Amino acid sequence: MKKILAMVLALMMLFAFAACSNGTTPATDGEAQADPNVKHKIGMIWYGNTDPMGGTFYAWANHAAELLNVELVWHLGDYTTEAELSACEQMISAGCEGVYFIPMDTAANLQLGNACQAAGVYWAVSNRDILDADIKAACYANPYMVTHIWDDSYNLAMNMVKVLADQGVTKVCMISGDPKDAMMVDRNNGFIDGCKEYGIEILGSFQSETDAKVITDGVNNFLTLYPDMQGILSVSGTAGTGEAIISTLEGSGREAGSIKVATFDTFDGNKEAFAKGWLAANAGGYTSECLVSFLALVNTVKGNVKPNNGPYKLHLTPIVITSEEEMDLFSKYVDNPEIQLYSDADIQGMVQPTCDEAYYQSVLDNWTIDFVKKAVGE
């Protein structure tokens, strides 16, 4: 009888492993029935909460944490690997069981990941690809990495160049991104290749900074050095960059709309910039991948699933806005900390033993303007 029982248990375990999807293993019954009153602690290394996207995810994550009985430890304003690593180490010392962050450069994945592994702490990232093959392999082999979510920045940049080309723009200047940042490399290359594809000349460029004065001075230099400039491509509109670009154009004496701007990341005043003709294309809507990455981490920390064959490997296609009307809808509902586009049921549904890689990818694939309209009843 003992041998028969042992064989039955072995078969049950075999079927359980066979049923698991890529990326995670559902927890055992004992783990899945963990005390719901236990409050788990998650570290959140986030760039800031004062811009539309940053403030929206900050609000979404706090709401989800309250709903799921999770304590969040926030660290805002880190833009270097050194600063992120210091924050991560502080969070580990404070007893965080998981750490979520956007890696500001490729090295951050490895260094923070190693720190988490050494401490037995789960970690999750979003919004960046990992371009270095060796670092990516090392991260994927880290048993504590839960998610790797990246957005299709290259093709998005190409598409925004086409928007300018379709409006007759043939000469642009470019605000480029940090060559150590994988996402910025994709955006840089997408703009450059897009200009080649659509016959647009890049007159000059400078590297984007989070200092609005640097952006203002750089755009003024563009205006002075290249009077025939018709457009500006910018890898970022966040942390005051978008506002600085538009305000500088407004004060330049140029006719409104005579220079077209295409930029990643939404910013305050973008609806008015569309209305006046300054803004031609604005890519945004990354909040979904941030939320999915965070909730997948919570799901793992709670013991519902465990990393199995490496992290969830997921991707998001952000939303490109090309009109005042689309921007109005986007600003009203997507980049709005007061609006929770995912219902409480949606959030709870993303923290279950049945959640797997395919499920989370389906959530990201459903992130469209149509989803937004349905969520708000329009």
Side-chain angles (χ1 to χ4, degrees):
M1 182 62 71
K2 289 181 178 178
K3 289 181 179 179
I4 293 172
L5 286 172
M7 289 176 65
V8 170
L9 287 171
L11 285 170
M12 288 174 65
M13 290 178 67
L14 179 63
F15 284 121
F17 279 112
C20 294
S21 58
N22 251 356
T24 60
T25 303
T28 65
D29 288 343
E31 291 167 329
Q33 294 171 1
D35 187 349
N37 295 317
V38 172
K39 179 166 280 195
H40 297 280
K41 187 184 290 188
I42 304 288
M44 306 290 286
I45 303 173
W46 189 238
Y47 70 88
N49 61 355
T50 57
D51 69 302
M53 175 192 159
T56 298
F57 177 62
Y58 184 79
W60 284 14
N62 283 328
H63 174 76
E66 184 177 355
L67 183 68
L68 299 169
N69 192 34
V70 172
E71 179 184 350
L72 300 186
V73 178
W74 288 95
H75 203 283
L76 305 175
D78 295 320
Y79 288 95
T80 66
T81 293
E82 293 76 18
E84 289 193 318
L85 180 59
S86 176
C88 179
E89 290 170 341
Q90 291 173 37
M91 289 170 172
I92 291 171
S93 297
C96 289
E97 302 164 81
V99 176
Y100 164 78
F101 64 98
I102 292 179
M104 288 301 165
D105 61 38
T106 301
N109 296 282
L110 192 59
Q111 293 188 30
L112 273 70
N114 286 343
C116 287
Q117 182 177 358
V121 170
Y122 291 111
W123 59 289
V125 296
S126 67
N127 300 75
R128 299 288 191 277
D129 199 357
I130 304 174
L131 299 183
D132 186 291
D134 292 335
I135 291 179
K136 179 179 282 190
C139 289
Y140 284 5
N142 186 320
Y144 289 89
M145 187 182 194
V146 175
T147 67
H148 176 211
I149 309 180
W150 63 93
D151 47 75
D152 190 5
S153 293
Y154 177 83
N155 286 318
L156 212 58
M158 290 272 290
N159 290 340
M160 285 198 286
V161 174
K162 185 178 185 302
V163 172
L164 294 190
D166 289 344
Q167 296 187 18
V169 172
T170 59
K171 297 178 185 292
V172 300
C173 287
M174 176 176 160
I175 303 175
S176 64
D178 186 345
K180 300 188 301 297
D181 184 327
M183 182 182 72
M184 292 302 178
V185 170
D186 282 344
R187 293 179 180 185
N188 291 342
N189 291 338
F191 279 152
I192 293 167
D193 291 349
C195 286
K196 292 177 183 176
E197 176 76 17
Y198 299 110
I200 294 178
E201 180 184 359
I202 299 177
L203 300 171
S205 68
F206 71 90
Q207 186 172 311
S208 180
E209 299 287 346
T210 55
D211 186 342
K213 185 179 185 304
V214 172
I215 303 301
T216 299
D217 290 345
V219 173
N220 276 324
N221 286 337
F222 285 160
L223 292 164
T224 301
L225 296 173
Y226 309 106
D228 55 345
M229 175 181 68
Q230 301 167 305
I232 295 175
L233 301 170
S234 179
V235 294
S236 175
T238 195
T241 300
E243 293 91 337
I245 294 171
I246 299 302
S247 65
T248 305
L249 293 177
E250 287 272 7
S252 68
R254 298 287 184 95
E255 181 183 353
S258 59
I259 295 173
K260 304 291 184 182
V261 177
T263 179
F264 283 83
D265 309 322
T266 53
F267 56 92
D268 287 336
N270 43 24
K271 181 183 173 184
E272 293 78 5
F274 269 114
K276 292 180 178 180
W278 295 118
L279 193 56
N282 197 190
Y286 309 94
T287 335
S288 179
E289 66 181 296
C290 302
L291 185 70
V292 168
S293 185
F294 163 62
L295 291 179
L297 178 63
V298 171
N299 204 29
T300 304
V301 167
K302 280 181 172 289
N304 288 336
V305 293
K306 287 185 176 180
N308 179 25
N309 297 322
Y312 298 123
K313 304 168 187 69
L314 308 167
H315 59 89
L316 175 78
T317 300
I319 299 168
V320 176
I321 305 108
T322 59
S323 70
E324 180 185 359
E325 292 73 25
E326 289 179 355
M327 194 73 253
D328 183 48
L329 179 71
F330 193 96
S331 300
K332 193 181 296 183
Y333 300 121
V334 180
D335 273 356
N336 186 346
E338 302 299 321
I339 302 293
Q340 295 286 332
L341 287 176
Y342 289 95
S343 68
D344 289 358
D346 290 334
I347 293 168
Q348 290 167 329
M350 285 187 251
V351 183
Q352 298 294 330
T354 52
C355 294
D356 59 11
E357 183 171 276
Y359 168 77
Y360 287 126
Q361 185 59 58
S362 71
V363 174
L364 296 173
D365 290 342
N366 195 41
W367 179 243
T368 62
I369 282 290
D370 286 341
F371 167 82
V372 175
K373 290 178 180 178
K374 183 177 180 181
V376 298
E378 283 205 1

